[in-house]
Amino acid sequence: MRNATDALACLQENGYRITTTRQAVNDVLYRLKGPFTIEELSDALPGIGRATAFRTVRLFQDLGIICRVNLEDGSARYQLASTGEHHHHFICTECGVVTEFIDAHIDQAVNRQAQGANFELNAHTIDLYGIGSCCSKKCSTNS
Amino acid sequence: MRNATDALACLQENGYRITTTRQAVNDVLYRLKGPFTIEELSDALPGIGRATAFRTVRLFQDLGIICRVNLEDGSARYQLASTGEHHHHFICTECGVVTEFIDAHIDQAVNRQAQGANFELNAHTIDLYGIGSCCSKKCSTNS
DNA sequence: ATCCTAATGATATCTAGTATCAAATAGCGT
DNA sequence: ACGCTATTTGATACTAGATATCATTAGGAT
C-alpha cells in the first residue's frame, strides 16, 4: 500500500464506493503519516461526522490500508500500514511516535516458542515501549 | 504470588488496609483463575460497587497481584499474575484463555533489536494469538 | 437524467473507566 | 473494649471512546 490512489483502488476492488468523504480521509492519512487517534483524524476533517470517521477507520483497517496500534494503557492509535506485511512497533512513550520494524530473529523465536507449547499461532503482536531516537537527545540526563 | 493470603500480606506491606471488600475480591480472583473482565468480576461480587471493583483491580495490578492482558480488539482482561516476573502471553482466540510464558531468546532478540535501533527500551509486550492446546483437539480438522 | 442502494451525519445510546463526596469502617493508640 | 481519624466504600454523575439508529444525501450503473 504505497500510493494514495492504491487505497481508493482497494476500495473499488472490494465493492466499496469512492466517496468524497473517503477520499478526504485518505488524503489526511497520507498527510498525517504518524500514528493518530480517531479524534485527531476527526479534527483534521471538520466537515466529516465523528461516526463516519470511526466507520471509515474501521473499513480502512479491514482493508489493510491502516493498522491499529494498541498503546500500553489500552488506548488505540492508527497509522498507514507502511508495509502490508507483518511488522512490530517501537512506541515512544515520550512523544507517542510509533515506528515499525521487522525482525526475523524475534519471529523465529516466537514461532519456536509456539511450536514448543503446541500452540497454533495465527498472529502475534510485539510492542516495544521506551524512548526513541526522536526523544533520546532531550533525555540524555536520565538514569 | 502463589497463595491467596500472599495478596493480603502484600496489601498490608504496602500500607493498604485489609478490608472485607478486598478479601472478597481476592477470593474471587483465586476462584476465577482464568482471565476476566471487570464486569465479570463485578458480577461475581454482587455486594461490591462497580467503582470499587475498578479501584481494587487497579490496586491489585499496581501491586503485581494481577496482570492486565490487552486483547487484539483493544479490550482488557485481567488475571492472577502467576509469576510476578516479566512474561508474555498465549491468548487462545477460541476460548479466551491466556497462558503466560517466559522466553529468554525472544527477550534477547528484542533487546538486540532495540539497541540496534537506538531505542531505550523500558518495557515490551508480546502477545501470541491462536488456538491453544485447550482448544486444538476440537479443531483438528482445520487447515 | 433517473433510480436504487450504499454512505453519511446527527443524534442517541452504549461501554469502560474515572471523579466526587457523604457514609462506613479498618486499625491505631489508649 | 473504645473512640478517633484517615482510608475505603458505594452511589451517582460524569467522561471518553465507540456503536446503533434512521432520515437524508449522493455514488454510479443504466
Side-chain angles (χ1 to χ4, degrees):
Chain A
M1 202 58 55
R2 270 285 116 98
N3 203 297
T5 56
D6 289 347
L8 303 180
C10 182
L11 280 170
Q12 205 155 37
E13 282 160 25
N14 287 276
Y16 295 100
R17 291 182 180 171
I18 295 174
T19 65
T20 50
T21 301
R22 285 175 182 157
Q23 286 178 321
V25 169
N26 190 46
D27 287 349
V28 171
L29 288 188
Y30 278 86
R31 256 189 286 131
L32 287 180
K33 277 176 183 158
F36 56 88
T37 63
I38 297 186
E39 299 305 321
E40 285 165 1
L41 180 73
S42 192
D43 291 349
L45 295 160
I48 280 142
R50 236 173 70 87
T52 302
F54 276 96
R55 272 190 290 239
T56 309
V57 163
R58 184 130 75 117
L59 176 61
F60 279 30
Q61 201 188 335
D62 291 345
L63 294 174
I65 298 166
I66 59 178
C67 68
R68 179 191 172 118
V69 182
N70 288 319
L71 266 56
E72 246 176 338
D73 62 359
S75 69
R77 299 208 165 207
Y78 299 86
Q79 66 176 24
L80 268 174
S82 58
T83 66
E85 297 163 42
H86 172 71
H87 61 259
H88 306 303
H89 297 122
F90 284 127
I91 299 160
C92 178
T93 48
E94 283 292 311
C95 65
V97 158
V98 178
T99 314
E100 298 180 8
F101 69 90
I102 299 170
D103 189 312
H105 288 117
I106 297 178
D107 289 343
Q108 273 173 28
V110 163
N111 284 326
R112 250 183 282 131
Q113 173 65 237
Q115 277 172 23
N118 199 28
F119 189 85
E120 188 187 324
L121 193 63
N122 289 330
H124 68 267
T125 61
I126 300 181
D127 297 317
L128 314 195
Y129 300 93
I131 314 291
S133 50
C134 45
C135 295
S136 57
K137 290 135 200 163
K138 304 176 205 161
C139 308
S140 54
T141 50
N142 70 349
S143 78
Chain B
M1 203 58 56
R2 272 284 117 100
N3 204 297
T5 55
D6 289 347
L8 302 180
C10 181
L11 280 171
Q12 205 156 37
E13 281 160 25
N14 288 275
Y16 295 100
R17 292 182 179 172
I18 295 174
T19 65
T20 50
T21 300
R22 286 174 183 159
Q23 285 178 321
V25 169
N26 190 46
D27 286 349
V28 170
L29 287 188
Y30 277 86
R31 255 188 289 131
L32 286 180
K33 277 177 182 158
F36 56 89
T37 63
I38 296 185
E39 299 305 321
E40 285 166 1
L41 180 73
S42 193
D43 290 349
L45 295 161
I48 279 142
R50 233 174 69 86
T52 302
F54 276 95
R55 272 189 290 239
T56 309
V57 163
R58 185 131 73 118
L59 176 62
F60 278 30
Q61 202 188 335
D62 290 344
L63 294 174
I65 297 166
I66 60 179
C67 68
R68 178 189 173 121
V69 182
N70 288 319
L71 265 57
E72 250 176 334
D73 63 359
S75 67
R77 299 208 166 210
Y78 299 86
Q79 67 175 24
L80 269 174
S82 57
T83 67
E85 297 163 42
H86 172 71
H87 61 258
H88 306 304
H89 297 123
F90 284 127
I91 299 162
C92 179
T93 49
E94 283 293 310
C95 65
V97 157
V98 179
T99 313
E100 299 180 7
F101 69 90
I102 300 170
D103 190 312
H105 289 117
I106 296 178
D107 289 343
Q108 273 173 29
V110 163
N111 284 325
R112 250 184 284 133
Q113 173 65 238
Q115 278 171 23
N118 199 27
F119 189 84
E120 187 187 325
L121 193 63
N122 289 330
H124 68 268
T125 61
I126 299 181
D127 297 317
L128 313 194
Y129 300 93
I131 315 292
S133 50
C134 44
C135 296
S136 58
K137 289 134 200 165
K138 304 175 204 162
C139 309
S140 55
T141 50
N142 70 350
S143 78

